[in-house]
Amino acid sequence: TRYRGGKMWEGVYEQRVGELGEMTNLGKGFRERLGESFSLRTAEVVERQGSADTTRKYLLRLWDGRYVECVLIPANVGWDGAVSDRRTLCVSSQVGCAYDCKFCASGLAGFTRNLGAGEIVEQVMAVEGESGERVSNIVFMGMGEPLANLKNVMKAIRILNAPWGVGIGARHMTVSTSGLAPQIEKMAAEPIPFRLAISLHGATDAVRERIMPVNRKYPLERLFQAIEVWRSKRKQKITLEYILIEGVNDGMDQAEMLGKRARSAGAKVNLIPYNTVEGLEWRRPVEAVQERFLETVKAAGAPATLRREKGGDIDAACGQLRLRRENLK
């Protein structure tokens, strides 16, 4: 009945109940009948790295024995010294990834499958249950390319945003893409005002193609056309994510071009020093180069920040824990 359905939503999302037996707002007999055929949880946290006052990474085993990762980022200190109470969860949208970005661990074991909407939402519920903390912000920046699983990602966003669901504000959710231009244009028509981030990592086609094969299909001109479509419909400032890799994309010519592109697109830039991935050759530039790159982007007219160290004490780059587990099979 509608009444029972409402009570179930209340138990799952408002009370964050993990087992049907705990759903005391429903009759015992009804709960027992449900338990014969259904389960509220299909994912299990099997490994955690980090501590309560630092970035924490979680490895989840799914119903089919596959693994995904998500990362809980604790409160940040603002520019004015004030401490926010945000808890940002970086969630995965696929098991593995097919886009083969050369610096990334997510695709090293290949692509297995898309995650269902429920499996995406369940990452939030599982981490909240394990950490004892409510998640306030969501970023789709974990394993996989969200826009290659757009139907399920959008369904998950609706559940995460809904008053009857997890109840996270739309502007507290960000979807990141490696640059699937047609899907960006399609997503621009969605009514929920979540935010968009572009994993750029190269300010010219020559540099970007070296590390991001997707650029061959959707080069920068095509990508920025899609960004203009997004801006025309959303009136939102997007973020250009840029991982700094020593000797690859950290030249000042790239910084200047990045600043110009960001300025023309009305975007802000988030610079991220590379997190080392076991088995890959890339390294982060020294701090002096990072700072000079930041200042050059700003001088070109774009707002920019340099993400300070978070997750350096763990395998912060997504895919590494999953890769080790898969290799043990």
Side-chain angles (χ1 to χ4, degrees):
T1 66
R2 179 176 294 181
Y3 172 79
R4 281 176 168 171
K7 289 297 182 181
M8 289 184 67
W9 292 132
E10 179 183 294
V12 170
Y13 294 119
E14 184 176 327
Q15 299 174 6
R16 302 296 205 265
V17 167
E19 300 290 342
L20 283 165
E22 300 171 6
M23 203 170 286
T24 54
N25 57 355
L26 294 172
K28 182 178 179 182
F30 181 65
R31 282 179 283 156
E32 289 175 348
R33 291 194 299 275
L34 277 178
E36 292 173 0
S37 303
F38 300 100
S39 173
L40 293 183
R41 297 285 187 267
T42 63
E44 176 189 5
V45 175
V46 294
E47 188 172 344
R48 188 186 82 174
Q49 291 185 343
S51 58
D53 60 347
T54 65
T55 297
R56 280 161 281 171
K57 173 179 271 195
Y58 296 87
L59 181 70
L60 277 66
R61 182 170 56 227
L62 306 176
W63 61 270
D64 59 354
R66 296 296 182 178
Y67 297 90
V68 293
E69 298 173 23
C70 46
V71 178
L72 183 62
I73 304 167
N76 295 310
V77 178
W79 62 269
D80 57 356
V83 178
S84 76
D85 59 356
R86 290 187 302 173
R87 294 291 185 275
T88 299
L89 186 67
C90 179
V91 299
S92 295
S93 56
Q94 298 178 312
V95 181
C97 186
Y99 283 81
D100 195 29
C101 294
K102 301 305 180 184
F103 53 84
C104 182
S106 292
L108 288 178
F111 170 75
T112 302
R113 64 176 177 87
N114 287 328
L115 294 182
E119 292 176 306
I120 296 171
V121 174
E122 192 170 359
Q123 292 173 63
V124 180
M125 315 304 283
V127 169
E128 285 190 343
E130 179 76 13
S131 68
E133 301 169 358
R134 286 291 180 101
V135 170
S136 59
N137 293 62
I138 301 289
V139 291
F140 287 81
M141 297 180 184
M143 289 170 50
E145 165 54 67
L147 299 199
N149 187 20
L150 186 56
K151 180 179 178 181
N152 287 320
V153 166
M154 286 309 310
K155 186 175 181 181
I157 287 174
R158 293 184 188 105
I159 295 170
L160 291 165
N161 177 240
W164 52 261
V166 181
I168 295 174
R171 289 180 174 83
H172 294 276
M173 292 189 279
T174 300
V175 177
S176 177
T177 176
S178 62
L180 277 61
Q183 286 88 333
I184 291 171
E185 293 166 347
K186 181 177 180 180
M187 197 169 59
E190 291 286 343
I192 300 176
F194 55 88
R195 299 185 181 277
L196 176 67
I198 306 293
S199 295
L200 199 68
H201 312 321
T204 60
D205 285 324
V207 169
R208 197 166 191 260
E209 283 179 14
R210 179 180 172 189
I211 53 176
M212 300 185 72
V214 68
N215 198 76
R216 299 187 191 111
K217 188 170 186 179
Y218 303 116
L220 287 168
E221 182 178 357
R222 177 68 182 92
L223 174 57
F224 277 83
Q225 286 173 357
I227 290 171
E228 285 305 309
V229 171
W230 174 274
R231 292 181 67 210
S232 70
K233 295 184 178 181
R234 291 286 189 142
K235 309 300 181 185
Q236 285 181 334
K237 186 182 289 292
I238 68 165
T239 300
L240 301 180
E241 302 279 347
Y242 196 99
I243 293 176
L244 287 167
I245 306 173
E246 183 182 68
V248 176
N249 65 356
D250 62 343
M252 295 310 121
D253 59 330
Q254 290 293 300
E256 185 174 356
M257 180 59 71
L258 174 60
K260 290 178 179 178
R261 289 191 183 279
R263 184 184 63 202
S264 67
K268 58 184 178 181
V269 175
N270 186 19
L271 301 174
I272 310 161
Y274 181 68
N275 273 314
T276 302
V277 173
E278 185 178 341
L280 295 182
E281 61 184 295
W282 317 106
R283 296 185 300 180
R284 65 172 53 186
V286 297
E287 289 188 9
V289 173
Q290 297 173 27
E291 294 290 347
R292 185 180 169 205
F293 196 98
L294 172 66
E295 294 308 317
T296 303
V297 172
K298 288 180 176 179
T305 56
L306 177 63
R307 185 184 298 175
R308 303 302 173 184
E309 188 74 19
K310 280 194 179 296
D313 58 334
I314 61 174
D315 297 312
C318 277
Q320 295 186 84
L321 293 182
R322 176 239 178 183
L323 188 61
R324 289 173 191 163
R325 288 286 178 135
E326 295 284 358
N327 287 341
L328 289 175
K329 289 185 175 181

